[in-house]
């Protein structure tokens, strides 16, 4: 991948003036490594001086300063992700040297899950994470951070570094901040098919200094979308797999920059599976990308277009009882047989076109200014079953399982269990019954429209397939400036503006044999018997019969704006590096209802008030470069912000305009500190991190069916004054046993837990009172349920002769706790229960999932074939790989679990709605070939 | 140029296998005509074998069939449907909600009774699953319904038996659970401002009085949970269709829906 000719177009060395800052008696060498078009490097790389046995790193933009150098010839090796990219030699005379720009081809780097072999020309082929291991998440984890890179193996088993929420990572795409102002998250699925394109990226890990923006607790990631950042190549990839897809076809084309300064790149990808390991979970994804750029003397203009369309059939979590009845941990309750075909009810479709424009202007060597403008249309539909006045059709619904009978009718429970075990198809959706119920339900429906009474006699659908649809139109703008105030002081500043208009509604997709459906709230019918208006979701079109494509249940718009100002100053001393960053942002949110809800006619229709949620972030860091090999860093992060997720700001946005602010929502505070010790030795690389983070006064809203006698309906649990603490240690190391063998190790031990008892208010969906009393739930010291809190892993990478490579990993996860139901730790649940008793422990204890042993491997081989006898120097390059995960074929690993939010308050029995789990799939593989020419 | 040729070669692969992923599902056909469901006993014969009190497990291969005359559509019947084959009728206890979605009125069904139990509950004969330890007849579990019941085609609900109020003032075993039609009936004066049922917070069921112009009366029992509970009772006089039932020795009517009441004439003088 790194083309041998680290084009040292350079070595202007001979013509550059002596550096004035060199200490008397010593020599200094400085310079900057850049992309081929003069753009800044996107990742820091390592410089090794073999003769002097010294190792230094460049800054994030490729600048370096090597001091205390003796006179004479010095060979500098440029290592990128522990791979030698190239080297150059300079002769130092009596004075220091400042080199010109050292041009390197763009770095599309992913050392984490890379089995790299270098061919004779210096080209390095890789199996990147996205190619072979986990296509969806791979690009997330391309990182130069030793810990993040090595922890990748565990991500498929629920591990999330430090257990931070997704909102705590800023994502930039094509120069703009892509986090949605609606939920403050970036949807990685939308460009996951473009793995080759997204390899060009710049990351700011955790709370390190970050050129792009303040970042969150998890840092930031900047995908350099445009053509100038792409690696010139023609590449075809085919992968056969049994993971998220069966087949993957990928084509990427990026020619060299032409003499007129034009650069192009394009990519097209499709990956699909008729059915993956879990039954009825097919997927299909298309991705298209095209980019063009032109560079002028000081300016580069670029435009890129991205289009993605995806279709996924989902798997469900299930209880242990359902898994046992099905006899497999691949049980999926979302599908059933229909006319001899497996049909999945839960389908997610998504599509987005994105057009991004980018202008980068470099008026001087010290200053770089960029502007980016992007517009994005985004649509996502989550399809599932919906029903009215009919039994719950989900086969794993608690009333449909034998355990429901076990108390009152144990004999019936036994027969039902035998029946289900004998015929597992009974554990799937009975589509025939749903059609039958609709087709038999003749109903005379009368309603008034424009003063006329209409009468409809037909089959009123009881079961339908419907989608929760979200459509967004977003405009992103961002300008960013980098200015070198002095040779060692750098300023980054940016301004971002994002404006989103979102439309959310429920859409009727399939009447399943019925003629029409009604826009009724059946739960309100139970709460307000005889109140004809209460059951109408929209009083403006009451009782109108619905057909395919119609909206119902809820329909509202969101206007969201996000403005952010950011500045960071970084100062580099001989033994110290300091930075300070500050950011101010405002998020504005407004709900506009389209429906006049029968329960909330005054609070549902029209524009609601505009909520302004300011945020301030302050970040500081200090690194002590003890010597060329040892670094010690300390960083702090302080943020004051409101909830930035729309769904955590409004109590029940589907029905009414009721901000949670009235329920005690506060500005939350985040305090974080981390310490890092890093060693870069010739054979050793070590990273040790310690961290502590306090998230105080958070607000969290949970929506579920509440079985408490006073509710018996869907409620919105608003938790305020919620404090969460994250603390722990992370360690990663690699050791070059020889030039061909590298050993890796990683461990993380953390604790993410609730550190107080929050205030809780329960707002019923259908309660027109709009108020709720404060309750307390006792969740202090319960784990936040965010994946394994302990991981240990070891790995070995062997680069064998003849361009064979093998990587083996073994891992261990533990202290993985299920996500708790706070309502189960309330006074209502604690009544008549002794926490020390067996039954009490079943209610209050947080289940710890069993520890798990993991194993995976990656085998690769590269070779090349001469194109023709007449062109002996031109070759076709092939790269084959086989990646196997979960080699031991363990299908009993529970990767995650949660307590159901519904709880049997009448009997105080946690067994009525037991925990649900997701199991790891067994042994999976990806067999692929890359072809470059 | 060669690059574009390669890209064109790739295109067919991109569209391969699409139909296997994003499928279209044709609407399934209605169940086949099973109007000729086997019947080995009439319901009248079946009830005769029940005796006159107590409970009885059915260990023989008895099959009965009939049409659904009442279900839980409005909530006035709870966890049961009424089956009538023209000779007699019997409630079938089923442990589920919204039974009407599977058993709409008029649907013909067949019941394989082996393994089921009959019981007189307050002198009303019923068919259910088994007795629990307290001797109460349990409904057939939802998960086991297919084991005992075969569903036939939908049809029209059986015609009610026309009776006079004076005839049914005393409990008539042959009429129990049958759909009956009574002419010239009205709600008694004391019922006038009342709705069909009081709130379930006050009482789970309400007894209304139906009378004729000769002052013969019978109780009309309605559940506080039914969908027409809050509807005011009609003032006029006319016909009413209901399921004839009994609670111990007291006959009573069970209303399926307010559409079964046609009190449009002037009240009795």
């Amino acid at each position: 991948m790194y083309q041998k000719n680290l084009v040292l177009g350079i070595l202007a060395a001979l013509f550059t003036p002596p550096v004035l800052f060199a200490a008397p008696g010593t020599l200094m060498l400085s310079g900057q490594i850049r992309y081929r078009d003069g753009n800044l490097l996107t990742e820091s790389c390592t410089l090794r001086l073999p003769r002097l046995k010294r190792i230094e790193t460049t800054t994030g933009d490729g600048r370096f300063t090597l001091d205390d150098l003796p006179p004479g010839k010095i060979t500098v090796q440029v290592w990128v992700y522990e791979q030698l990219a190239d080297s150059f030699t300079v002769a130092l005379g009596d004075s220091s040297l400042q080199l010109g720009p050292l041009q390197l081809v763009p770095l599309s780097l992913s050392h984490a899950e890379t089995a790299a072999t270098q061919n004779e020309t210096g080209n390095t082929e890789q199996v990147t994470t996205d190619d072979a291991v986990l296509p969806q998440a791979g690009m997330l984890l391309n990182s130069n951070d030793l810990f993040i890179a090595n922890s990748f193996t565990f991500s498929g088993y629920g591990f999330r570094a430090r257990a931070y929420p997704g909102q705590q990572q800023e994502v930039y795409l094509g120069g703009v901040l892509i986090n949605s102002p609606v939920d403050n998250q970036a949807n990685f699925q939308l460009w996951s098919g473009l793995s080759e394109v997204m390899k060009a990226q710049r990351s700011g890990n955790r709370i390190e200094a970050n050129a792009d923006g303040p970042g969150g607790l998890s840092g930031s990631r900047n995908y350099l979308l445009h053509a100038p950042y792409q690696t010139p190549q023609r590449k075809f990839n085919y992968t056969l797999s049994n993971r998220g897809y069966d087949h993957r076809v990928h084509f990427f084309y990026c020619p060299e920059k032409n003499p007129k300064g034009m650069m192009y790149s394009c990519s097209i990808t499709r990956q699909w599976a008729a059915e993956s390991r879990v039954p009825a979970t097919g997927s299909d994804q298309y991705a298209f990308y095209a980019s063009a750029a032109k560079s002028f003397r000081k300016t580069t203009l670029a435009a890129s277009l991205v289009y993605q369309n995806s279709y996924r059939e989902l798997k469900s979590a299930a209880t242990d009882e359902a898994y046992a009845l099905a006899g497999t941990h691949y049980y999926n309750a979302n599908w059933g047989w229909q006319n001899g075909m497996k049909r999945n009810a839960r389908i997610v479709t998504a599509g987005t076109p994105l057009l991004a424009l980018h202008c980068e202007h470099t008026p001087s060597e010290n200053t770089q200014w960029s502007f980016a403008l992007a517009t994005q249309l985004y649509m996502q539909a989550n399809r599932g079953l919906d029903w009215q006045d009919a039994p719950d059709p989900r086969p794993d619904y608690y009333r449909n399982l034998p355990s429901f009978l076990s108390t009152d009718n144990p004999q019936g429970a036994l027969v039902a269990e035998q029946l289900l075990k004998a015929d597992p198809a009974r554990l799937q959706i009975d589509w025939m019954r749903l059609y039958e119920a609709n087709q038999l339900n003749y109903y005379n429906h009368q309603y008034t429209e424009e003063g006329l009474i209409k009468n409809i006699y037909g089959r009123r659908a009881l079961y339908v397939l419907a989608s929760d649809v979200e459509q967004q139109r977003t405009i992103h703008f961002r300008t960013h400036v980098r200015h070198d105030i002095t040779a060692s002081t750098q300023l980054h500043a940016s301004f971002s503006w994002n404006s989103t208009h979102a439309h959310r509604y429920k859409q009727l997709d399939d009447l399943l044999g019925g003629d029409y459906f009604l826009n009724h709230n059946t739960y309100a019918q139970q709460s307000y018997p005889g109140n004809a208006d209460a059951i109408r979701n929209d009083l403006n079109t009451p009782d109108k019969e619905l057909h395919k494509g119609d909206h119902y249940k809820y329909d509202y718009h969101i206007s969201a704006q996000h403005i952010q100002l950011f500045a960071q100053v970084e100062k580099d001393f001989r033994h110290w590096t300091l930075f300070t960053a500050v950011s101010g942002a405002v998020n504005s949110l407004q709900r506009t209802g389209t429906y006049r809800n029968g329960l909330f006619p005054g609070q549902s229709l029209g524009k609601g008030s505009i909520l302004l949620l300011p945020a301030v972030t302050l970040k500081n860091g200090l690194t002590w470069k003890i010597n060329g090999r040892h670094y010690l860093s300390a960083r702090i992060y302080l943020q004051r912000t409101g909830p930035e997720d729309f769904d955590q700001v409004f109590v029940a946005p589907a029905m009414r305009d009721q901000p949670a602010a009235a329920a005690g929502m506060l500005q939350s505070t985040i305090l974080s500190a981390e310490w890092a010790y890093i060693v870069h030795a010739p054979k050793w690389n070590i990273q040790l991190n310690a961290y502590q983070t306090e998230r105080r006064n958070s607000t969290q809203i949970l929506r579920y069916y509440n079985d408490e006698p006073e509710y018996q309906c869907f409620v919105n649990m608003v938790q305020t004054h919620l404090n969460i603490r994250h603390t722990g240690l992370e360690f990663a190391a690699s050791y070059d046993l020889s030039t061909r063998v590298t050993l890796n190790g990683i461990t993380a031990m953390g604790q993410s837990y609730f550190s107080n008892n929050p205030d809780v208010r329960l707002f019923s969906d259908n309660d027109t009172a709009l108020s709720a009393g404060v309750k307390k739930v006792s969740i202090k010291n319960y784990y936040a349920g965010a994946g394994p809190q302990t991981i240990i892993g070891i790995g070995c990478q062997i680069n064998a002769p003849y361009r064979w490579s093998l990587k083996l990993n073994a891992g261990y996860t533990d202290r993985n706790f299920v996500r708790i139901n706070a309502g189960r730790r309330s006074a209502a649940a604690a009544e008549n229960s002794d926490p020390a008793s067996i039954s009490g422990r079943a209610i209050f204890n947080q289940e710890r999932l069993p520890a798990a042993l993991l194993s995976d491997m990656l085998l690769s081989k590269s070779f090349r074939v001469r194109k023709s006898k007449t062109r002996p120097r031109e070759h076709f390059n092939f790269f084959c790989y086989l990646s196997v995960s979960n080699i031991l074929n363990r299908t009993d690993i529970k990767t995650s679990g949660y307590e159901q939010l519904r709880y049997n308050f009448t009997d105080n029995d946690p067994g009525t709605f037991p925990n649900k789990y997701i199991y790891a799939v067994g042994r999976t593989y990806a067999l692929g070939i890359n072809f470059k020419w | 140029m060669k690059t574009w040729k390669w890209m064109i070669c790739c295109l067919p692969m991109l569209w391969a296998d699409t139909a296997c992923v994003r499928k279209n599902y044709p609407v399934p056909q209605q169940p086949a005509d099973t109007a000729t469901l086997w019947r080995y006993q009439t319901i009248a014969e079946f009830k005769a074998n029940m005796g006159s009190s107590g409970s009885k497990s059915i260990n023989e291969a008895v099959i009965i069939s009939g049409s659904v005359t009442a279900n839980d559509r409005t909530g006035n019947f709870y966890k049961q449907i009424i089956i009538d084959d023209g000779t007699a009728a019997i409630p079938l206890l089923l442990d589920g909600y919204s039974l009407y979605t599977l058993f709409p009125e008029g649907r013909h069904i067949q019941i394989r009774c082996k393994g089921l139990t009959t019981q007189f509950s307050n002198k009303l004969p019923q068919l259910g699953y088994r007795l629990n330890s307290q001797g109460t007849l349990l409904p057939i579990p939802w998960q086991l319904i297919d084991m005992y019941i075969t569903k036939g085609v939908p049809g029209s609900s059986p015609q009610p038996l026309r009776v006079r109020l004076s005839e049914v003032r005393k409990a008539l075993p042959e009429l129990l659970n049958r759909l009956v039609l009574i002419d010239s009936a009205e709600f008694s004066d004391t019922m006038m401002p009342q709705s069909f049922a009081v709130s379930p917070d006050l009482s789970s069921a309400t007894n209304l009085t139906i009378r004729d112009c000769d002052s013969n009366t019978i109780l009309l029992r309605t559940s506080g949970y039914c969908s027409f509970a809050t509807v005011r009772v009609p003032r006029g006089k006319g016909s009413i269709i209901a399921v004839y039932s009994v609670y111990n020795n007291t006959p009573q009517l069970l209303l399926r829906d307010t559409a079964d009441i046609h009190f449009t004439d002037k009240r009795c003088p």
Side-chain angles (χ1 to χ4, degrees), chain A residues 173 178 225 304-307 352-356 374-377 476:
Chain A
L173 183 70
I178 208 76
L225 184 69
S304 297
L305 176 69
V306 173
Y307 176 73
T352 183
L354 180 140
L355 176 66
T375 179
Q376 182 187 15
L377 300 175
H476 310 266

Side-chain angles (χ1 to χ4, degrees), chain B residues 194-195 197-206 222-225:
Chain B
Q194 192 178 328
S195 55
V198 298
S199 164
D201 297 336
L202 300 174
S203 173
S204 62
T206 301
T222 49
S223 165
Y225 297 97

Side-chain angles (χ1 to χ4, degrees), chain A residues 234 251 253 270 272 283-284 286 309 338-339 342 389 391 399-401 409 411 432 436 440-441 462 530, chain B residues 3 7 14 16-18 21-22 25-26 28 73 97-98 100-101 107 129-130 142-143 151 154 230:
Chain A
R234 282 172 293 186
F251 181 81
Y253 174 54
R270 186 185 171 212
W272 73 100
S283 64
D284 195 7
Y286 292 92
N309 180 292
Q338 182 178 328
N339 290 344
K342 289 178 181 175
D389 301 326
R399 285 181 176 273
N400 297 334
L401 293 175
N409 190 352
Q411 204 172 2
M432 296 300 286
E436 187 185 2
L440 294 179
N441 191 42
L462 299 165
Chain B
T3 304
M7 287 182 75
L14 294 171
D17 211 21
T18 300
V21 184
R22 306 187 192 209
Y25 299 91
R73 178 187 282 275
Y97 298 103
S98 300
Y100 75 96
T101 61
R107 184 166 209 182
Y129 186 55
R130 283 166 198 177
W142 179 250
Q143 299 91 332
K151 299 186 286 287
T230 57

Side-chain angles (χ1 to χ4, degrees), chain B residues 1 6 17 21 54 67 73 80 94 97 103 106 114 144 163 176 194 197 203 213 226 233 240-241 251 253 257 264 266:
Chain B
M1 191 62 193
W6 272 100
D17 211 21
V21 184
S67 295
R73 178 187 282 275
Q80 60 173 288
L94 299 170
Y97 298 103
F103 305 104
K114 186 177 180 181
L144 306 185
V163 297
L176 288 180
Q194 192 178 328
S203 173
C213 293
C226 71
V233 298
I240 179 172
I241 298 171
L253 297 176
D257 195 352
T264 53
K266 284 188 177 177

Side-chain angles (χ1 to χ4, degrees), chain A residues 551-808:
Chain A
H551 300 185
Y552 76 102
K553 196 171 267 186
Y554 64 90
D555 190 324
Y556 64 97
H557 299 258
I558 303 166
S559 295
Q561 313 256 343
H562 182 79
I563 295 172
Q564 180 177 284
L565 278 166
F566 160 73
Q568 175 181 285
V569 177
E570 198 172 3
K571 177 80 178 169
D572 213 3
F573 297 100
R574 184 174 167 188
H575 285 291
W576 297 89
T577 299
L578 303 168
F579 80 89
T580 184
V582 63
S583 162
V586 176
N587 217 31
S588 81
L589 294 169
Q590 184 182 33
R591 177 193 182 277
T592 304
T594 307
Y595 282 176
R596 191 158 64 91
N597 188 281
L599 286 171
F600 308 97
Q603 293 88 26
S604 51
L605 182 68
K607 286 185 184 297
S609 54
I610 298 174
L611 292 178
L612 292 176
L613 302 164
V616 179
T617 307
L618 180 67
K619 222 163 61 162
N620 286 295
L622 173 69
T623 299
W624 177 27
K625 297 177 275 190
I626 301 167
N627 54 38
R629 296 179 180 177
H630 299 264
Y631 302 84
L632 205 54
S633 300
R635 292 178 276 268
I636 57 166
Y637 181 96
L638 171 67
Q639 188 179 52
R640 182 109 171 122
T641 181
E644 291 174 324
D645 181 355
F646 178 85
D647 290 317
Q648 302 297 316
V649 172
F650 288 86
V651 172
M655 301 191 77
R656 56 189 189 254
D657 186 9
Q658 184 188 4
M665 180 186 82
L666 294 172
Q667 285 267 301
S668 62
T669 304
I670 297 174
L671 293 164
S672 181
E674 68 175 14
W675 302 265
Y677 173 60
I678 293 171
V679 178
H680 287 303
K683 291 194 170 188
W684 281 100
N685 276 298
I686 296 173
Q687 183 177 349
L688 176 66
N689 302 328
Y691 63 92
Q692 173 136 344
T693 300
E694 302 273 352
R695 292 162 54 206
R696 292 180 184 160
N697 282 333
S698 308
T699 300
Q700 195 175 64
I701 302 178
L702 302 172
R703 298 179 174 86
Y704 62 99
Y705 187 88
N706 191 308
D707 252 342
E708 280 183 82
E710 58 185 297
Y711 294 101
Q712 301 271 329
C713 60
F714 278 94
V715 300
N716 306 277
M717 179 195 270
V718 181
Q719 298 180 53
T720 53
H721 299 92
L722 176 66
N723 294 350
I724 302 174
R725 181 173 295 154
H726 308 260
T727 180
L729 290 170
E730 298 163 338
F731 172 78
S734 73
Y735 176 69
D736 296 333
L737 206 60
S738 71
T739 54
R740 293 193 179 277
V741 181
T742 303
L743 302 177
N744 298 298
I746 183 173
T747 184
M749 300 189 74
Q751 292 201 93
S752 296
Y753 60 96
F754 303 107
S755 55
N756 75 333
N757 293 324
D759 294 339
V760 164
R761 290 173 176 83
L762 287 174
F763 292 90
S764 164
D765 251 4
N766 295 329
D767 187 1
T768 53
L770 297 175
S771 63
V774 180
K775 298 180 176 185
K776 277 281 178 187
V777 290
S778 303
I779 60 170
K780 187 177 179 181
N781 294 333
Y782 280 93
Y783 287 96
Q789 311 264 306
T790 298
I791 59 165
I792 299 171
I794 53 169
C796 170
Q797 181 170 333
I798 303 164
N799 293 324
Y802 303 105
R803 296 187 286 276
W804 282 94
S805 175
L806 175 66
K807 185 166 187 178
L808 292 167

Side-chain angles (χ1 to χ4, degrees), chain A residues 488-541:
Chain A
S488 60
T489 308
Q490 197 171 54
L491 168 73
H492 288 277
S494 71
F495 168 77
S496 284
W497 171 71
N498 290 8
S499 174
T500 293
H501 178 90
H503 185 193
R504 290 179 174 177
Y505 54 88
K506 189 106 175 170
Q507 178 179 282
L508 189 56
D509 291 340
D510 193 339
L511 283 160
L512 300 178
D515 294 328
Y516 67 94
F517 195 59
L518 292 179
N519 192 6
H520 282 177
N521 177 358
T522 49
Y523 291 99
Q525 203 166 8
Q526 293 165 13
S527 305
Y528 301 93
N531 181 349
D533 280 349
I535 64 168
R536 288 165 176 152
N537 286 318
D538 183 18
L539 292 173
N540 293 335
T541 55

